[in-house]
Amino acid sequence: MASMATASTSLQARPRQMATAVRCFSQGSRNNLSFTLRQLPTRLSVSCAAKPETVDKVCEVVKKQLSLKAGDEVTAATKFAALGADSLDTVEIVMGLEEAFDIEMAEDKAQNIATVEEAAELIEEILKEKA
Amino acid sequence: MGATKLSGMQKQVLSLYRGFLRAARSKQTTEDRRRIETIVSTEFRKNSKEVDRKNFQYIEYLLRLGHKQLDQLKSPDMVSISSVKIN
């Protein structure tokens, strides 16, 4: 009797599993939405990253401040240290940027800047607050 | 260079350097400004090379000295600074 009882419950369980499986399938068509959802993070990161013109301006200031040659490549990912800048140079770069963009950078934030992109992002953040 | 690598003392020095450059910016003529910037920059760079990074007492003394000089430089009627080498 006991074995019969377990058999009947297992039979009852199976349709329930089927039901969930079907529900998954019905959501399967909606899974197409996840494609659009997946694009969102990239779009967000684009809007977070600095505008190209800001990055260009930062690159220019960095080049001027470190007196690099025109041919030297400075991109968004360039680290100041890779250009041969020490911490004193970084302070000078930050001061130059403050002047070029007519802003004031908080000291604790300015000390965390190590790349062109980080500088550009911080600048845009400040400009947004100012506006 | 990341912030994590900087010691408290290094931050103090950089902050002083910023202070000097700011003070230089407040000066009227660009000529004065450039002169101050050059002197300050050479002085900081010279000390960064010459002073032993473990010589905390001396660095602290230089920091105090620097702050005093900065306070003087900040006053509007102070136009420039000069460095004199005594052998």
Side-chain angles (χ1 to χ4, degrees), chain A residues 5-106:
Chain A
T6 51
S8 66
T9 47
S10 74
L11 268 174
Q12 273 179 344
R14 229 174 263 163
R16 226 181 282 151
Q17 277 174 346
M18 283 286 280
T20 51
V22 167
R23 225 178 283 152
C24 278
F25 267 113
S26 67
Q27 278 182 339
S29 60
R30 243 197 257 163
N31 269 347
N32 285 336
L33 281 175
S34 75
F35 274 102
T36 50
L37 280 173
R38 223 176 277 162
Q39 275 177 348
L40 267 176
T42 53
R43 232 188 279 158
L44 274 173
S45 74
V46 165
S47 70
C48 271
K51 294 186 208 109
E53 53 260 41
T54 314
V55 174
D56 285 348
K57 207 171 165 187
V58 172
C59 288
E60 243 171 72
V61 173
V62 170
K63 274 187 188 174
K64 202 185 89 190
Q65 212 73 47
L66 297 174
S67 28
L68 299 174
K69 284 174 237 117
D72 286 325
E73 189 128 326
V74 180
T75 60
T78 308
K79 277 195 173 145
F80 297 150
L83 299 168
D86 57 17
S87 52
L88 289 175
D89 287 317
T90 311
V91 171
E92 281 170 24
I93 290 171
V94 169
M95 298 292 289
L97 290 174
E98 283 188 344
E99 227 174 314
F101 288 91
D102 194 26
I103 49 169
E104 290 248 331
M105 290 191 198

Side-chain angles (χ1 to χ4, degrees), chain A residues 79 81 85-92 94-96 98-99 103-108 110-114, chain B residues 1-4 6 10-23 25 33 37 41 44-45 48:
Chain A
K79 277 195 173 145
D86 57 17
S87 52
L88 289 175
D89 287 317
T90 311
V91 171
E92 281 170 24
V94 169
M95 298 292 289
E98 283 188 344
E99 227 174 314
I103 49 169
E104 290 248 331
M105 290 191 198
E107 206 159 313
D108 49 331
Q111 270 170 351
N112 290 327
I113 297 174
Chain B
M1 64 131 255
T4 42
L6 293 173
Q10 281 175 310
K11 280 185 187 166
Q12 280 181 52
V13 173
L14 291 178
S15 150
L16 181 67
Y17 190 47
R18 263 165 85 84
F20 267 109
L21 293 183
R22 264 186 215 286
R25 207 193 265 175
R33 207 188 130 168
E37 279 175 355
S41 154
F44 270 84
R45 264 163 224 290
S48 79

